[in-house]
Amino acid sequence: MEARHAVDTALAELGEGEKTWASLSLSKRADLLGRVRDLTVEHGNEWVDAARVIKGLSESSPLLGEEWMSGPYAFAGGASTLIHTLTALDSGNSPLASVEFGSAPGDRTTVQVLPMTMYDSLLLSGFRADVWLKPGIDAATATRSAGLAQREPTRTGGIGAVLGAGNITSIAPLDTFYELFAHNRVVALKLNPITDPMLPVLTTVLAPLIEVGAVRILTGGPEVGTYLVQHPSVAHVHMTGSSITHDAIVFGPGETGAERKAANDPILTKPMTSELGGVSPTIVLPGKWSRADIEFQAEHIATQRLHNNGYNCVAAQAVIISSAWDQRDEFLAALRDALDRAPGRRAYYPGSDARVTGALDSYPRSERLSNGRVLIGDIDPGDETALLTTEYFAPVLGVVELPCTGNSFAEKAVQTANDDFVGTLGINIIAHPSTIAEMGDRFESLLAELRYGTVAVNTWTGLGFLSAAATWGAFPGHTIDDVQSGIGIVHNALLIDGAERTVVRGPFRPAPRSLLAREWALTPKPPWFLSNRTAATTGRLLTAFAGKPSWAKLPAIFASALRG
């Protein structure tokens, strides 16, 4: 009863707060966001320390760089880009007035969202992100419609309930931003119980929005979440989690829920959006690689799988390679080594050990590596295999081999990723620049054929998550009874209308090898790599920079990044 009373009280206060929110001008909203951003930086140490406790990391662990980058850094960046959007709209301009548009196969227009500033070009040299619009939407239409609900700020959308994620600490507050600004809804944010230790710092950071009645934060178990989403005062629900949790909310649990799902007869009938993960593949196109290339990219894939110990919706779960690749054996040996020697950490996420055991039961010939990791080899995608249909959300990585090479391999790998893997959140492609050049226009056409919400070329889809103006979510087209990786998008801080996907690209090699190979990229080993020795320091410095960019802060960031 006490928990229900807390929900009732919060929703009643949000009902009043909606009136205040409707009365706030765009400039006032931008001012609130500026205060939120400043508080995020000011209390960044508290944020990261709360995350450290949740995840069982030591105070000196370089892995704290993950918490800086995917926590306060991502959130401060989101606030800054939203401020740009609101400021542009307030002055009568489009948030896309100064962006670079391009084109992609299938009558698609692209919007460059990274780099957006000279600072971006320096700090992420060689990296790029483009939002691809749905076919037929041109630049003029995108420019005119950008801003979404903030084009009519006095027209609010009621109360949105956000069910927060339990893994990455910026997800819940970033989802709150999207409800507030993309949809103009005030927000009841329900934290995942795993992240309850974040309550004090999130309350502090979101205080400007709480004070005007636009946000309330709730805690509690599934019963609180169920009461919240079913409450008649809630107009819309957004959640981040698993498809299993989604279906239990929408259709109910157990056999009855399964029957209702089969009949597409939901018990929750109000609009709902979601980000639900899936089984994310990494395609490795065969080519002629140096030993340094092989070692770097093996470490890259190990990072894609083991960042946050594999508890990421977009963690790579299967590597698709050519069994005919001359360097297959060398690459797989390097991958095994990279997985085995990556820093150890506690399996903090509930159910992790059981999911690892399930993988071992399904694949008794799989290899057990250090720190509870599992490597599953030589999987035939033609067989019905759990690896491609079960999101393990644990340190489990599989290898899928296709008996072809060249363009035939690339085409078969894209078909396999589209047809045999569950989920459409993100996919990675690693390819030597000469391989991409040899494929020519066919490479871009294959990117267009992929049905994934974020596509990463020579980088990790996690960069799409970190890029505030990029979109984040499943590929469009899922339905409530076949939800896969979810419905709708978040982040998208330029408030672009009609987005289909985000494509991020990075350099094949880190500096200085990139320059020696005539890749014009100055970025050394990225701070999100597991083996980056200075990731925590670089992440802290980047967070401070995101709060208040200045040329004077760049030398310390560069020095830390180079030492990594």
Side-chain angles (χ1 to χ4, degrees):
M1 291 299 294
E2 184 177 342
R4 290 192 172 198
H5 177 70
V7 172
D8 290 337
T9 301
L11 295 178
E13 291 171 351
L14 287 168
E16 291 300 311
E18 184 182 5
K19 301 172 187 175
T20 303
W21 185 248
S23 72
L24 294 177
S25 66
L26 293 173
S27 62
K28 291 283 189 183
R29 295 180 182 190
D31 289 344
L32 289 173
L33 276 172
R35 289 173 55 200
V36 169
R37 179 193 58 198
D38 293 347
L39 287 166
T40 299
V41 176
E42 181 183 345
H43 296 276
N45 281 311
E46 297 166 43
W47 182 315
V48 171
D49 196 55
R52 178 188 67 79
V53 171
I54 293 169
K55 300 182 181 186
L57 299 173
S58 72
E59 294 181 1
S60 60
S61 173
L63 293 174
L64 290 179
E66 295 180 358
E67 303 312 319
W68 278 105
M69 294 293 293
S70 64
Y73 170 76
F75 190 57
S80 290
T81 308
L82 280 168
I83 290 169
H84 159 84
T85 296
L86 295 179
T87 302
L89 292 169
D90 190 48
S91 62
N93 296 318
S94 169
L96 304 186
S98 59
V99 304
E100 180 178 323
F101 288 97
S103 61
D107 191 27
R108 291 175 172 89
T109 298
T110 65
V111 184
Q112 183 180 312
V113 296
L114 180 76
M116 288 184 61
T117 67
M118 179 63 72
Y119 291 138
D120 291 341
S121 298
L122 291 170
L123 290 172
L124 285 168
S125 174
F127 290 89
R128 176 177 174 137
D130 295 273
V131 173
W132 290 21
L133 304 179
K134 294 175 182 176
I137 300 176
D138 60 19
T141 301
T143 301
R144 190 167 54 248
S145 61
L148 298 178
Q150 295 307 300
R151 297 175 59 81
E152 297 182 77
T154 60
R155 185 178 177 182
T156 54
I159 300 172
V162 170
L163 303 181
N167 56 341
I168 298 296
T169 56
S170 66
I171 291 178
L174 282 171
D175 291 352
T176 297
F177 271 176
Y178 206 66
E179 283 290 291
L180 269 174
F181 295 100
H183 302 294
N184 218 23
R185 299 185 189 104
V186 293
V187 181
L189 167 60
K190 160 68 173 61
L191 297 182
N192 187 297
I194 298 171
T195 63
D196 280 355
M198 293 293 301
L199 177 62
V201 69
L202 289 179
T203 301
T204 298
V205 165
L206 294 172
L209 298 170
I210 294 171
E211 289 165 4
V212 298
V215 172
R216 288 293 181 269
I217 306 177
L218 297 162
T219 59
E223 70 286 349
V224 175
T226 299
Y227 183 68
L228 172 65
V229 301
Q230 293 178 349
H231 200 287
S233 296
V234 170
H236 178 269
V237 176
H238 177 81
M239 70 161 287
T240 299
S242 72
S243 59
I244 295 172
T245 302
H246 169 275
D247 289 348
I249 291 170
V250 174
F251 297 103
E255 289 186 16
T256 302
E259 291 170 359
R260 295 185 73 103
K261 180 182 176 181
N264 194 14
D265 181 23
I267 58 175
L268 185 72
T269 56
K270 61 188 66 177
M272 184 171 181
T273 52
S274 51
E275 190 267 88
L276 306 174
V279 178
S280 296
T282 295
I283 297 172
V284 178
L285 297 185
K288 187 172 179 56
W289 296 10
S290 70
R291 180 62 193 174
D293 294 338
I294 287 175
E295 291 178 350
F296 178 77
Q297 294 299 345
E299 194 175 306
H300 188 184
I301 294 174
T303 294
Q304 294 173 4
R305 174 69 267 185
L306 296 179
H307 181 282
N308 198 33
N309 208 35
Y311 311 133
N312 285 335
C313 292
V314 77
Q317 185 165 298
V319 184
I320 304 175
I321 69 168
S322 166
S323 60
W325 183 23
D326 292 343
Q327 294 176 293
R328 167 201 177 272
D329 293 346
E330 187 180 3
F331 173 75
L332 289 180
L335 178 59
R336 180 198 178 282
D337 184 58
L339 291 167
D340 199 43
R341 60 183 165 80
R345 57 192 303 167
R346 181 167 68 86
Y348 77 89
Y349 206 88
S352 175
D353 291 341
R355 289 189 293 274
V356 170
T357 299
L360 291 169
D361 289 343
S362 296
Y363 301 97
R365 291 189 296 170
S366 57
E367 189 173 2
R368 302 182 188 221
L369 304 179
S370 63
N371 296 294
R373 295 155 191 163
V374 175
L375 179 61
I376 306 168
D378 194 17
I379 295 169
D380 183 348
D383 298 335
E384 188 170 329
T385 173
L387 183 83
L388 309 189
T389 58
T390 303
E391 183 184 12
Y392 283 121
F393 217 67
V396 175
L397 181 68
V399 177
V400 175
E401 300 194 39
L402 302 177
C404 45
T405 189
N407 284 358
S408 296
F409 170 79
E411 292 168 3
K412 181 63 175 176
V414 167
Q415 179 186 351
T416 299
N418 278 340
D419 297 344
D420 297 337
F421 284 70
V422 167
T424 63
L425 184 61
I427 186 170
N428 314 286
I429 301 174
I430 296 175
H432 195 285
S434 63
T435 301
I436 295 174
E438 288 167 7
M439 293 183 67
D441 293 342
R442 183 58 183 143
F443 183 78
E444 293 298 313
S445 296
L446 286 173
L447 296 187
E449 290 173 20
L450 286 165
R451 296 190 297 270
Y452 285 84
T454 299
V455 178
V457 179
N458 287 336
T459 185
W460 179 34
T461 46
L463 177 63
F465 179 93
L466 291 177
S467 301
T471 58
W472 188 251
F475 194 76
H478 299 313
T479 57
I480 205 76
D481 60 329
D482 183 21
V483 74
Q484 297 215 26
S485 288
I487 298 170
I489 59 171
V490 290
H491 300 191
N492 186 28
L494 294 175
L495 302 183
I496 297 170
D497 192 17
E500 179 187 61
R501 73 183 87 189
T502 287
V503 176
V504 293
R505 306 173 198 249
F508 182 69
R509 310 169 182 89
R513 287 197 305 112
S514 55
L515 299 174
L516 295 174
R518 298 185 180 181
E519 274 190 286
W520 305 117
L522 300 174
T523 304
K525 180 182 294 184
W528 53 84
F529 265 48
L530 291 169
S531 61
N532 192 304
R533 297 185 300 270
T534 60
T537 300
T538 303
R540 176 174 53 79
L541 292 171
L542 284 170
T543 300
F545 185 89
K548 187 172 289 186
S550 97
W551 293 102
K553 294 178 180 177
L554 292 178
I557 296 173
F558 291 149
S560 178
L562 288 169
R563 290 196 304 271

